Amino acid sequence: MELLPEFELRQPKTTAEAVALGAEIGARYIGGGTDFVPNLRRGLETPSAVIDLSEITEMQSIEETGEGLRIGASVTLEQLLSDQRIKEDFLLLAQAAETIAGNTHRQSATVGGNLCLDTRCQFYNQSEWWRKSNNYCLKYRGDICHVAPKGNICRAAFSGDLAPAMMVHGAKVELVSAEGKRVIDLKDLYQEDGANYLLLNPGELLVAVIVEKLEGYQTAYRKVRVRGGVDFPLAGVAVGVKCDENHLTDIRIALTGTNSRPLLIEGVEEWFGEVTDEACVAALVKLVRAQSKPMRSTFTPGSYRNKVVANVARRLIGELINV
Ligand SMILES: Cc1cc2nc3c(=O)[nH]c(=O)nc-3n(C[C@H](O)[C@H](O)[C@H](O)COP(=O)(O)OP(=O)(O)OC[C@H]3O[C@@H](n4cnc5c(N)ncnc54)[C@H](O)[C@@H]3O)c2cc1C
Ligand code: SF4
């Protein structure tokens, strides 16, 4: 690991102050720093200023909205996991959060940092020396993608665990910049480009995420990883499903680890009203398989991860609707 590069550390007390600082060219936000600091030490970023969000109290609380919760972006994963309302009505979020990193990371890792987590690739999450010897790559400093050399887009995988669980809970995100505030669906925060995966405007800050309660749904999150104790997902699947007797009323399936963005599976509504049998599950899994696009960005082949994500989805949906 290299030494940290030189930068100016700023510690605003309000979001207004933070976004004013964030508008400065080359400035970057930091939550718990559990991903950002290792990336800095690997020379993956050289910000002129780092804006530490940890002193902004207005971003640290979880509030009730009537339909659900508004979770501040600086709420730590530990705080999320110990909140009684999360334990009672948002177990899916807790299931995802408790799989993230290790216990000590979760004391400082934040919800906002997890949702904005940089994409990962075996050719990118390496030392400066390693990347330089391979002529860098398209995502940073180079001009070729080692995963898809004929392409002109980075295929690094988004690997945050919270996003798919939040998407199942109909999440929206509150974004603030010097231009004002906007609220968008969480799924629209991302795009399929590993080098430019977040659709944030320059200096825009994720202030909170709003999630809705799911009445009458069965939910579950499961991830597959190489090291069972602490590891990013090779594939993670979140499912929320609602049935009326043995008919499907609603299903939401979201993935992580497979694409350059967390993915809310499209086209599921075609199966609303259908009998929840093998054919219905198989059709839903087919949608998962068609939309998940894992590439050679991890040591585990993309084709294998595509099978894994389909099998995890098959098992989860089957368990939740007893098929
Ligand atoms: C050993 C190890 C294992 C890990 N395993 C997992 C895992 O299994 N699953 C997983 O999801 N993660 C994992 N992580 C990554 C990381 O710990 C978590 O994703 C964590 O939640 C990131 O939150 P943070 O607050 O530390 O983010 P930071 O490192 O502070 O920031 C991450 C990124 O988000 C940006 N950012 C932070 N807050 C905001 C905001 N409010 N608005 C706009 N941009 C913002 C930063 O600029 C940076 O680009 C692991 C890390 C380590 C070191
Ligand atoms: S997918 Fe390609 S461009 Fe993106 S980080 Fe990996 S090697 Fe680099």
Side-chain angles (χ1 to χ4, degrees), residues 162-176:
L162 272 185
M166 296 258 182
M167 283 175 174
V168 167
H169 272 282
K172 292 183 183 298
V173 279
E174 251 180 61
L175 308 172
V176 176

Side-chain angles (χ1 to χ4, degrees), residues 119-125 136-140 144-148 153-157 194-195 296-297:
T119 54
R120 301 183 63 76
C121 174
Q122 58 173 328
F123 298 99
Y124 172 73
N125 298 97
Y136 299 103
C137 76
L138 206 58
K139 181 163 158 86
Y140 189 57
I144 188 168
C145 170
H146 304 300
V147 166
I153 195 170
C154 167
R155 313 304 295 258
R296 201 169 51 93
S297 57

Side-chain angles (χ1 to χ4, degrees), residues 28-29 31-36 101 110 113-114 160-161 206 223 231-232:
R28 296 279 278 111
Y29 296 119
T34 58
D35 193 64
F36 188 59
T110 65
N114 193 261
D161 283 290
L206 194 158
K223 86 192 228 188
D231 214 345
F232 289 91

